[in-house]
Structures are given as C-alpha cells and as structure tokens.
Amino acid sequence: MVRDRRRFLQAVSTAGLAAVAGCVGGFGDEETESAATVGMIYSTGGLGDNSFNDMAQQGVMAADEEFGVSYDETEPDTEGDFDSIQRDFAESGEYDLITCVGFQQEDPLADNAPEYPEQNFIIIDAVVEDADNVRSYVFGEHEGSFQVGHLAGLLTTEEFEAGDAATDPDEATVGFVGGIEAPLIRKFEAGFVAGVEHANPDVEVVTSYVGDFNDTAGGRETALSMYQDQGADIVYHAAGATGVGVFQAAESEGRLAIGVDDDQSVSEEDYADVIVASMVKGVDEAVIDAVADVIDDEFSGGVEELGLADDGVGVAYGQSIGDAVPDEIVSALEESEAAIVDGEIDVPEQP
C-alpha cells in the first residue's frame, strides 16, 4: 500500500487543522511500505504531558518498532476541533486505524463513526455504543486509584522520609488534584478516597479541580494550598500536564506526590525525589493491541475493559524513593489488590 501522506497533510493544512505532524515509518519516503498507517488524534492536553497523551504516542511508536507502521498525529487546540479533525482523517482514506485519545472525543466520534463504516477507529477512555467500526478502551482507574489511595492513607501517619520529601506524622491529610471535573476524573477521585478510607478512616482527603489539563501554574497553586494551608503531605493528581505543578509544589514544600498514567518518576525525572509512586494504566498497550489486530485483519468493534485483574492499571513505585516504602505497606497493597480482583472489595466509580 503506497500512500501519499504529503498530499493529505497539505489538504489537512488547507482545512485549517492545527499541528499535524507526519512521523516515522517511511514518512517522506514514498517507496517504503508499512504494515499499517495510523492516525493519532490526541486530547487537548497535548503531547509533552509526560502522561496520558505521551503514553498513547509511546504505543504507536512501539507498534512502529514492532510491526513497521507509519503514523500521522495532531494535537487539537480545543474540544471544538475534534469533529472536523476526525472527519478529515476519515475522508482522506489514508488510515487503517484512527486513534481518538481521550473522553472528550466521545460525542463527535459517536456522530462520525456511522458516516465512515469502513474506517476502523479506537477511542481511549470512553465508550461509543452501537458502532461496529469503533473499539472502545476503558480502564479501571478507580481500582488503580484505590491502590495509591491505600498507599497515601497508610503513609501519611508514618514518619516517612526519602529523597527530598517527608511526611508529617502529626498530620493525617492527603490531597487529590483533578484536571477537568468530568465523570472520568471523578472516577479517579472516588477510587483514591475509597483507598484512603480503607487504610485509615480518620485520614482527611482534600480535593480540588483546576479546570484544565494544561495549566501547570494552576496545578502548582492548588497543590501549594493543600500542602501549606490544609496540612496535606501527599497529593495525587489526575490532571495531565497540570500535574507537573503538583510536582513543583511538592518539591518546594518537601512533601510527596503521586503521578498518573505513566511512571512519572521516570517521565518527570526532575521530580523523582518527591514522586513516591504513580497510578499507571496501559494506554500504550491499548494502542499496540489495536494496531496488531488491524495488521492481522482481526479488528472488531466493542468494548475492552482493562482493570487490576488485567494489569490494565496498577501501582508503580517511584524509581528513586519507592524502595523506601516499608515492606508492611507494600504487603498491605498486595492484599488489597487481591481483594479487589477477587471481588471482596467493591471500589466505587463516583464519589
């Protein structure tokens, strides 16, 4: 299959799309054959978040390394861009798979997918019903968040010091910072709060939403308020690039933070000395899985749910300070994970 992506990119540019980039797998080399061509439409937080969008990009890059695929990608500025970008990608006929990253793309994809029944789509973090050409990947964020909440609830009353951070055992408060207050992000909050309560019902959880996935300054100010004014010594974020501000605040206050999606002690290594753990989820694996099925001609629509039992979510202890977490706390988390998988603990999905 020889593809003229230069022509398509020119057409996209004419249509007014922002930031479409051609990538790898022979882009610019019309003689190179690829196993599949993938269109990547990221969420508004954009690439460089070292979290959700970057995980999706890592997925397609890994697929390229494993299978030899090519891909184009775009970072929409606003939610209003999704509809036209999805249609332009589908109209081009260039893509074996179009990947829609983030719940904000649910409504436009529900409208667009039936218009292009021969086009394969996936959407991550949302479900598009009754569309045979859409595979929806959803994750057990509440289960993974329960685990890091369990960790935070146990650590906050411990005298814990590692790297550049420490707890104040006289305080029993932890924090949660969300990006946009949407059902998906509240799912993170619900799991986190339940995990903290499971560890110790006397621990207070303070929560706040910044209203943006790309507001580092807002994330910093929100977390600073939690650390300085409300007595939190550990703050978990589900806020994309806004979460970098949480790490900055943790560093300045000598307190702990918990990352999300990727192991952020690696992807945000400048803050590794304050990131005690991250709630990781397999966004990259979802992309690889879908690409492989397209190449094997086994792609089908439907819903893929990936929770703790499927290793779709989990806890990654920080590379620099995670080893300092006491063994009894690690064992407690292993026990709660088993209880969730066995159905003995029912984790709420909404606060």
Side-chain angles (χ1 to χ4, degrees):
M1 185 186 311
V2 177
R3 299 174 186 282
D4 186 354
R5 281 190 295 285
R6 283 178 173 161
R7 176 177 53 78
F8 170 63
L9 290 173
Q10 183 177 15
V12 169
S13 177
T14 302
L17 300 186
V20 176
C23 302
V24 300
F27 172 67
D29 180 359
E30 307 302 335
E31 300 302 321
T32 300
E33 212 45 60
S34 62
T37 301
V38 182
M40 301 293 294
I41 306 173
Y42 297 107
S43 72
T44 51
L47 292 171
D49 61 1
N50 287 330
S51 184
F52 182 59
N53 285 298
D54 283 6
M55 288 291 287
Q57 188 188 48
Q58 288 173 31
V60 76
M61 292 171 70
D64 172 48
E65 184 173 344
E66 183 168 353
F67 307 119
V69 305
S70 56
Y71 62 95
D72 299 314
E73 54 190 356
T74 182
E75 301 173 73
D77 291 326
T78 70
E79 285 190 56
D81 294 332
F82 288 129
D83 178 71
S84 60
I85 291 175
Q86 289 175 6
R87 284 190 282 105
D88 283 329
F89 268 63
E91 288 282 356
S92 75
E94 299 289 331
Y95 299 101
D96 301 295
L97 178 70
I98 296 175
T99 296
C100 302
V101 182
F103 66 88
Q104 295 165 311
Q105 302 202 48
E106 177 183 349
D107 288 342
L109 185 57
D111 292 336
N112 288 325
E115 301 296 321
Y116 306 95
E118 303 303 318
Q119 174 65 62
N120 297 321
F121 295 93
I122 65 169
I123 185 166
I124 295 173
D125 275 359
V127 173
V128 172
E129 304 278 3
D130 302 323
D132 292 338
N133 57 333
V134 179
R135 182 181 296 176
S136 303
Y137 287 93
V138 291
F139 296 85
E141 293 91 352
H142 57 310
E143 296 178 344
S145 296
F146 181 100
Q147 290 298 92
V148 294
H150 192 188
L151 171 65
L154 292 172
L155 272 183
T156 186
T157 54
E158 292 269 337
E159 189 169 347
F160 179 83
E161 182 174 357
D164 292 336
T167 59
D168 178 354
D170 294 330
E171 296 283 356
T173 302
V174 299
F176 172 81
V177 173
I180 294 173
E181 188 169 4
L184 176 69
I185 307 304
R186 289 178 66 78
K187 189 176 173 186
F188 286 84
E189 178 192 349
F192 181 71
V193 172
V196 173
E197 291 177 348
H198 180 77
N200 186 340
D202 295 328
V203 174
E204 181 182 2
V205 184
V206 292
T207 68
S208 184
Y209 286 81
V210 176
D212 200 309
F213 288 121
N214 200 19
D215 182 1
T216 300
R220 183 175 188 277
E221 291 306 311
T222 301
L224 278 175
S225 174
M226 291 179 173
Y227 290 126
Q228 293 176 344
D229 305 328
Q230 297 173 279
D233 48 17
I234 306 169
V235 175
Y236 170 47
H237 86 88
T242 298
V244 175
V246 173
F247 302 147
Q248 292 173 349
E251 184 179 57
S252 71
E253 297 303 307
R255 296 301 186 196
L256 296 161
I258 297 175
V260 75
D261 293 338
D262 199 358
D263 178 352
Q264 294 200 285
S265 71
V266 175
S267 62
E268 293 286 357
E269 62 179 353
D270 288 347
Y271 305 103
D273 278 349
V274 298
I275 298 174
V276 65
S278 298
M279 197 292 280
V280 295
K281 70 177 193 179
V283 175
D284 52 343
E285 295 297 329
V287 174
I288 296 168
D289 175 73
V291 172
D293 281 355
V294 166
I295 292 171
D296 293 338
D297 199 24
E298 295 179 351
F299 183 87
S300 60
V303 179
E304 295 280 346
E305 298 185 39
L306 303 170
L308 273 177
D310 315 289
D311 293 327
V313 295
V315 177
Y317 292 96
Q319 295 291 310
S320 292
I321 65 174
D323 287 347
V325 175
D327 290 343
E328 58 268 27
I329 291 181
V330 174
S331 296
L333 263 66
E334 291 172 350
E335 291 173 5
S336 61
E337 178 179 353
I340 292 170
V341 171
D342 292 342
E344 297 168 7
I345 295 176
D346 185 19
V347 183
E349 296 190 35
Q350 290 299 311

